[in-house]
Amino acid sequence: MTLIEEIHSTTPIHRETDAGGLRGLRVRGLHKVLGGRTIIDNLDLTVRDGELVSLLGPSGCGKTTTLRMIAGFLAPDAGSIQVHDREVSDLGAEKRPSAMVFQNYALWPHMTVQNNVGFPLKLRRLGKKEIEQRVDAVLALVNLLHHKNSRPARISGGEQQRVALARALVQEPELLLLDEPLSNLDAKLRVKVREDIREIQQRLGITTLIVTHDQEEAISMSDRIAVMNAGKIEQFSRPAELYSRPETEFVATFIGSLNRIEGALVNGVIVPGDDVVGIRPEDVVFTLHASFDARPAVVERVVPHGHFHEIYLKRDDATLRAFASGLPPAPGDRGHASIQNALTFRQGRLVTTTRVTA
Amino acid sequence: MTMITKRARKSAARLNFSRPLSGLFCVLMVVFILGPLAWLGIRAFAESWTFPNLGPDGWTLRWWSVVLGDETLGRAVQNSLALAALTVLVSACICLPAAYAFARYEFWGRRTFLIGLFALNAFPKMGLYVTIASLFYALNLMSTVLGVLIVHVLGTVVFMTWIPAAAFAAVPRSLEEAARDAGASKLRVFFSVTFPLALPGILVAAVMSFLASFDEAQGSYLIGAPDIMTMPTQMYTLVLNYPNQVAAVFSILLAIPSVALLLAAHKHIVGGTLAEGFQIK
Amino acid sequence: MTLAPTRGSKRRAIATPAVARRPLGFFLALPPIILILLFVGFPIVLAFAFSIGLTGGLNHVIASIGLNVHEAENWWGTPAAYIEVLSNSRILRDLSVTVGVTALSTVTVIFLALGIGLFLKLRGGRIARLLSGLAIIPLFIPVVIASWAIVTFYSGDGFVRSVFAQFGVEAPVWAFTMVAVVIGSVWTSLPFAVLMITSGLQAIPNAMIEAARDAGAGFLRIVVSILIPMAFVPILIAVTFTAIGVVGSFTVPYFTGPNAPNMLGVSMSNYFSAFNQPQQSVVMAFIVFVIASGIAAAYVWANFRSAKDQGKV
């Protein structure tokens, strides 16, 4: 826990208000046990005002449970949830200042797009005219004015997604929650929509928490990412740092690709040991010619990935995967492989990062 | 975390339902639904009963021997069971192919047919039997087994067509196609893939048809009485001519097959198989 | 597939889409339709002819047995029987009682079924499941027994009066009154309505409710604006089947109701058997049929609407 706090203070990308209060979201000691199993284990999380944070983790890690407790659909067993310095954990979802975009959008099929978006305002007893103005404004923001009178079933998945976003934004929430917002879209659309969401979020400066299992999505959208595993936050930091300096072995293997080898790295060679060495495939360099730190290697397998390929290299100390672009070698080719960077983990935690310099 | 805040949080996370009100609602529903059955059921073992006591004056099994020893009542039981079984069989033969057709084929008049089946339900039963009776007079079907059987089958057509049709329609086509791809013939696909998957729906339809036939009183009485008596029609005369306790015993006997079927098919009926069948697709 | 490629592809070439085989589907669907045309459609046409005084052909037997038969002098018939029935003040009272009982029973049934369905959907838990299971029980009890049990329960020496008598209160006798008919109709109609409405409500994704809560909606708002509109078709089906079932019912009012005025189902039977006036009885059947058809039209419309909403039409 102190570790996470430390990381907060060492990554000052957003202004924090005066020492006592914090705008945005502050979760402290959140705990949930379901059916005798601890789902969320004493979790702390801070999202600063205007920041976009992703909760990233494999399925079953508790990220959705956390989101549902913050939204008010699930009661925590213990802990506090503060939005803009106001304790909300005893409020029902309908009274919380947060708005949520649901995974399957949860658009009411019997209402038109306009009525779906206007429903939250209708509940706030606003005048007909004001509702219409605000609905039009938010529909214009998500570029859907032309579908104002369509039923949800008649518009595409991407458009439904934008309606769901509009319905959340129209409430002018202090906190925007998105539950796997892109998981039901096809790959091309996903890239476009995530850029749209990020653009709107930054324009409105709205504090946002996204739950996702897709690392690419999290890395491309977020100011900071909280990687969750087994009900705990493993690491909470900026995307780039998450990749280059993973605090735990779990984060290292979950984010990006990793050669995981038991042993230790001594002078560019893996020797037997109790630690775990993690090497990113792009840090393994394969050349046909010998160099001072490279060791002989045989190409075992080549897997093309489009603009790059993955090469399985057999060295005398270990088998390594490398990413390379350009003309691929053929299986059976002989050459030399060197390790440029490596992470060493002891009992799951990062102890050293090794940089082999030429 | 104290208990009070914990509870407050629980109720905040759910929607509020007033606890005492829903409790009262439950108790009233139990009395409303089970009360009459229990009140009648006790009578089957009761000596006599003095108002306003909440229990009988004494207990006896006398009424059971009266009912079980009565030959006409025994015959009515036999008639009912045989007739219900026969009705389900005939109805299945007539309706199941049609149910499959409604689910899997698009043909001329399909929608009209579906709505036509429903029209059967819209005409009041007693009115229908009155009109059927006037036809049966002309066809010499009054007081015949065939006449009563026709009336019973008519009462099951909707169940036997709609519910299995929904069940057939719910079988994913990809499963059938996979079986055909594996080399199964059309008939083989039907019997080893479609039929087993639709079986719960067909069973519910059969149970509902059996009950409908077993329950049918008005038509059987009008067409069959006094020559062909079933348990429900016997009930008409029974309650008027015998002491209350005999009717109670007879009621329990009459309810046994139904309750047995209830226990057998409960899961599927509550599971939405029945409700699914009543939406024209 | 890879093991026997020729066989697989051959089979697939033979397979024709099922939709193309129109005549087969038509002929498979024919038997129940013929059965209904023969024993429902035909008798109804025949009965209609009889009701307007056309007493020839197959109507000859019944016309000669029955009393007080109005015969038409021409081929297009006479409304005499309808005029007689609709000017009979006793039958008109029966008619208004029928409509009243139908409306009251239907409203009560839907109200109870919605209550149970909402309880199950929003609260859940063992009690809710028990309650919905309980409401299904009448489906398995023959109507004859149910009617008799209800008469005994609410009769002069029945349970309700016995309980009140323990406290020295004189409770009303409901057996053989229209109250008992409504109670009996509700009792027997409840299971179908509960099945329809609970399954309709259960089919609504919980996220729809959560989205409404997130938007700030309370309990009543969610029920009125989200749940009822989304379960509209199953609710309407429950309404039509309940109303049609009650409007034409015979057994419940026959056992539990008063001698007069009673529901048209009972009068119909009395006129047919006891008074031997089949034509008047058939006329009443058509009056009930007209009412039921009006209700049925709502059902067909609702199904059509739902198909349209789902983009199928």
Side-chain angles (χ1 to χ4, degrees):
Chain A
M1 144 136 142
T2 47
L3 180 79
I4 290 160
E5 292 292 276
E6 270 168 32
I7 291 165
H8 286 177
S9 50
T10 52
T11 54
I13 44 164
H14 272 267
R15 74 203 134 80
E16 238 174 84
T17 51
D18 54 282
L22 180 90
R23 291 179 64 76
L25 168 73
R26 186 206 283 262
V27 176
R28 285 292 171 270
L30 199 67
H31 204 82
K32 182 75 187 174
V33 178
L34 278 175
R37 219 164 61 88
T38 303
I39 306 289
I40 303 298
D41 190 2
N42 200 20
L43 179 133
D44 295 346
L45 177 75
T46 304
V47 182
R48 300 191 196 98
D49 193 21
E51 191 182 24
L52 191 153
V53 166
S54 291
L55 275 179
L56 176 65
S59 52
C61 72
K63 55 192 193 298
T64 298
T65 309
T66 306
L67 191 79
R68 289 173 58 80
M69 287 196 279
I70 294 169
F73 299 126
L74 202 63
D77 294 336
S80 101
I81 300 164
Q82 289 177 5
V83 180
H84 280 17
D85 260 349
R86 192 152 69 94
E87 181 64 41
V88 297
S89 50
D90 285 338
L91 299 177
E94 62 273 23
K95 300 217 171 71
R96 294 197 186 185
S98 53
M100 178 144 153
V101 175
F102 289 79
Q103 184 173 9
N104 297 313
Y105 319 135
L107 299 175
W108 303 299
H110 60 290
M111 297 184 194
T112 59
V113 164
Q114 176 176 225
N115 290 344
N116 259 287
V117 177
F119 189 72
L121 301 179
K122 208 168 124 195
L123 296 176
R124 286 169 177 68
R125 299 185 193 287
L126 298 183
K128 240 191 177 149
K129 213 164 197 167
E130 194 188 346
I131 292 180
E132 199 174 337
Q133 276 170 1
R134 281 176 63 176
V135 168
D136 281 1
V138 76
L139 283 180
L141 182 73
V142 297
N143 218 347
L144 270 180
L145 261 182
H146 56 292
H147 273 313
K148 213 171 139 173
N149 294 313
S150 307
R151 291 282 177 97
R154 301 259 169 190
I155 61 179
S156 72
E159 286 165 339
Q160 289 180 24
Q161 218 285 338
R162 269 140 63 196
V163 176
L165 183 64
R167 187 176 64 187
L169 291 176
V170 82
Q171 304 175 43
E172 296 179 351
E174 288 164 20
L175 176 65
L176 179 65
L177 305 169
L178 296 101
D179 184 8
E180 302 270 8
L182 307 175
S183 61
N184 288 326
L185 302 176
D186 60 55
K188 269 239 167 73
L189 201 56
R190 208 175 292 174
V191 175
K192 159 113 181 51
V193 173
R194 83 183 180 213
E195 279 161 11
D196 288 350
I197 291 177
R198 178 61 162 159
E199 197 265 326
I200 290 170
Q201 184 267 335
Q202 282 183 326
R203 179 142 43 112
L204 302 179
I206 191 164
T207 312
T208 305
L209 184 65
I210 295 185
V211 156
T212 178
H213 66 271
D214 182 341
Q215 45 168 310
E216 193 192 328
E217 195 175 305
I219 289 169
S220 62
M221 292 174 85
S222 323
D223 292 314
R224 286 189 296 161
I225 297 172
V227 179
M228 277 190 79
N229 184 33
K232 283 184 169 163
I233 291 180
E234 293 261 335
Q235 185 171 355
F236 189 24
S237 50
R238 282 178 296 171
E241 195 176 345
L242 211 56
Y243 190 75
S244 61
R245 213 177 165 284
E247 299 283 351
T248 66
E249 197 186 320
F250 172 81
V251 174
T253 44
F254 188 72
I255 306 282
S257 190
L258 194 77
N259 289 295
R260 183 187 175 282
I261 302 153
E262 278 168 27
L265 189 68
V266 178
N267 295 331
V269 180
I270 311 252
V271 296
D274 295 335
D275 295 345
V276 170
V277 180
I279 307 150
R280 299 283 184 202
E282 61 268 32
D283 292 331
V284 178
V285 175
F286 176 72
T287 51
L288 292 173
H289 310 289
S291 63
F292 88 99
D293 61 340
R295 293 179 71 83
V298 182
V299 176
E300 282 200 319
R301 205 147 72 84
V302 178
V303 182
H305 282 281
H307 58 285
F308 70 95
H309 27 262
E310 191 176 355
I311 311 166
Y312 286 72
L313 298 164
K314 179 133 183 80
R315 295 204 329 190
D316 54 0
D317 56 343
T319 300
L320 299 168
R321 281 179 301 125
F323 288 160
S325 52
L327 204 64
D333 283 2
R334 284 170 189 282
H336 299 267
S338 61
I339 296 165
Q340 312 265 293
N341 284 310
L343 306 158
T344 305
F345 299 96
R346 186 166 299 150
Q347 278 153 6
R349 301 201 73 82
L350 184 71
V351 282
T352 48
T353 61
T354 318
R355 181 158 194 91
V356 183
T357 43
Chain B
M1 186 64 35
T2 63
M3 281 306 289
I4 297 164
T5 46
K6 223 174 175 178
R7 194 170 298 158
R9 283 182 173 188
K10 277 251 165 66
S11 63
R14 285 173 176 184
L15 278 171
N16 255 322
F17 248 106
S18 157
R19 245 173 202 284
L21 246 166
S22 52
L24 185 72
F25 181 66
C26 289
V27 171
L28 283 179
M29 284 304 287
V30 170
V31 172
F32 176 72
I33 289 170
L34 294 183
L37 297 178
W39 190 248
L40 184 67
I42 295 170
R43 259 152 226 271
F45 308 95
E47 193 69 64
S48 59
W49 202 308
T50 321
F51 180 79
N53 295 340
L54 289 176
D57 304 333
W59 302 97
T60 176
L61 286 175
R62 181 154 56 96
W63 311 112
W64 288 81
S65 57
V66 171
V67 171
L68 296 176
D70 191 317
E71 242 175 71
T72 48
L73 295 181
R75 204 170 316 124
V77 173
Q78 280 176 7
N79 281 348
S80 267
L81 287 174
L83 203 58
L86 198 61
T87 302
V88 171
L89 205 69
V90 172
S91 180
C93 290
I94 294 176
C95 300
L96 285 184
Y100 184 75
F102 282 126
R104 279 293 191 252
Y105 297 104
E106 189 55 57
F107 50 88
W108 179 84
R110 179 176 170 274
R111 241 190 130 68
T112 322
F113 281 6
L114 274 172
I115 294 170
L117 284 179
F118 174 64
L120 172 66
N121 245 305
F123 203 81
K125 280 277 150 60
M126 200 64 210
L128 184 65
Y129 297 142
V130 166
T131 56
I132 287 176
S134 40
L135 177 71
F136 279 11
Y137 270 125
L139 296 177
N140 271 329
L141 283 173
M142 286 302 266
S143 296
T144 64
V145 177
L146 185 61
V148 177
L149 184 67
I150 290 173
V151 167
H152 280 222
V153 170
L154 281 179
T156 65
V157 167
V158 171
F159 294 129
M160 261 303 182
T161 313
W162 282 8
I163 301 172
F168 283 131
V171 175
R173 264 175 208 266
S174 59
L175 292 183
E176 292 177 353
E177 283 162 2
R180 279 187 70 70
D181 197 59
S185 70
K186 258 203 140 156
L187 217 61
R188 184 72 195 268
V189 169
F190 178 80
F191 282 108
S192 31
V193 178
T194 319
F195 189 76
L197 285 173
L199 199 60
I202 295 171
L203 279 181
V204 168
V207 167
M208 296 302 293
S209 300
F210 189 92
L211 292 180
S213 162
F214 206 72
D215 196 8
E216 216 295 316
Q218 327 164 20
S220 318
Y221 195 72
L222 208 67
I223 308 285
D227 299 331
I228 299 167
M229 294 298 273
T230 61
M231 278 170 86
T233 55
Q234 200 63 259
M235 205 47 198
Y236 280 118
T237 40
L238 210 66
V239 296
L240 304 174
N241 304 331
Y242 283 82
N244 233 333
Q245 288 89 330
V246 174
V249 170
F250 204 62
S251 295
I252 291 179
L253 287 177
L254 190 43
I256 288 173
S258 308
V259 172
L261 286 175
L262 163 81
L263 295 175
H266 176 261
K267 194 179 77 196
H268 295 304
I269 288 176
V270 176
T273 318
L274 180 67
E276 190 56 37
F278 279 82
Q279 313 209 10
I280 297 178
K281 296 251 167 63
Chain C
M1 271 290 285
T2 44
L3 290 175
T6 44
R7 197 167 157 223
S9 52
K10 207 165 137 199
R11 288 281 174 187
R12 206 173 309 159
I14 297 166
T16 46
V19 178
R21 299 183 145 203
R22 278 150 201 254
L24 178 59
F26 182 80
F27 287 117
L28 285 177
L30 223 43
I33 302 296
I34 291 177
L35 183 78
I36 285 175
L37 285 179
L38 212 61
F39 291 108
V40 180
F42 184 54
I44 287 177
V45 172
L46 216 57
F48 184 71
F50 181 50
S51 78
I52 57 170
L54 303 178
T55 52
L58 286 169
N59 280 332
H60 177 72
V61 183
I62 187 114
S64 54
I65 295 173
L67 302 172
N68 192 18
V69 175
H70 300 268
E71 286 195 49
E73 310 282 307
N74 45 45
W75 61 268
W76 66 78
T78 165
Y82 285 86
I83 292 170
E84 187 209 323
V85 165
L86 286 174
S87 56
N88 183 331
S89 65
R90 276 182 57 192
I91 295 180
L92 284 180
R93 265 223 322 264
D94 289 348
L95 177 64
S96 62
V97 162
T98 305
V99 172
V101 167
T102 304
L104 196 58
S105 307
T106 307
V107 168
T108 314
V109 164
I110 299 304
F111 183 78
L112 289 178
L114 261 178
I116 292 169
L118 290 173
F119 195 27
L120 192 64
K121 179 73 182 169
L122 297 176
R123 176 82 165 259
R126 201 168 346 124
I127 293 176
R129 278 202 304 279
L130 210 74
L131 200 61
S132 64
L134 190 74
I136 310 299
I137 289 176
L139 186 67
F140 296 90
I141 305 298
V143 181
V144 190
I145 295 179
S147 309
W148 189 242
I150 284 165
V151 165
T152 345
F153 196 65
Y154 297 98
S155 69
D157 56 357
F159 174 79
V160 175
R161 270 175 51 88
S162 300
V163 168
F164 276 98
Q166 308 296 315
F167 305 101
V169 181
E170 184 83 356
V173 180
W174 279 341
F176 309 116
T177 68
M178 290 328 285
V179 177
V181 178
V182 172
I183 290 174
S185 302
V186 170
W187 202 91
T188 49
S189 312
L190 195 59
F192 183 78
V194 167
L195 282 174
M196 241 16 251
I197 291 179
T198 48
S199 92
L201 288 174
Q202 292 298 350
I204 299 173
N206 276 326
M208 297 289 176
I209 300 167
E210 288 179 348
R213 290 192 65 196
D214 196 56
F219 169 75
L220 213 64
R221 197 39 132 155
I222 289 174
V223 172
V224 173
S225 296
I226 308 293
L227 294 178
I228 290 183
M230 283 190 72
F232 182 70
V233 170
I235 291 173
L236 198 69
I237 293 174
V239 169
T240 48
F241 273 77
T242 304
I244 286 173
V246 174
V247 83
S249 66
F250 167 76
T251 307
V252 170
Y254 174 77
F255 273 108
T256 62
N259 282 330
N262 206 332
M263 293 182 65
L264 281 177
V266 178
S267 325
M268 229 180 269
S269 160
N270 284 341
Y271 269 80
F272 190 82
S273 316
F275 308 158
N276 196 14
Q277 297 188 23
Q279 200 181 28
Q280 284 69 12
S281 173
V282 168
V283 167
M284 281 184 250
F286 274 98
I287 292 172
V288 174
F289 183 50
V290 168
I291 301 173
S293 308
I295 305 166
Y299 166 79
V300 173
W301 171 77
N303 268 298
F304 187 71
R305 200 192 93 142
S306 87
K308 207 170 161 184
D309 278 359
Q310 289 161 13
K312 283 184 190 155
V313 178

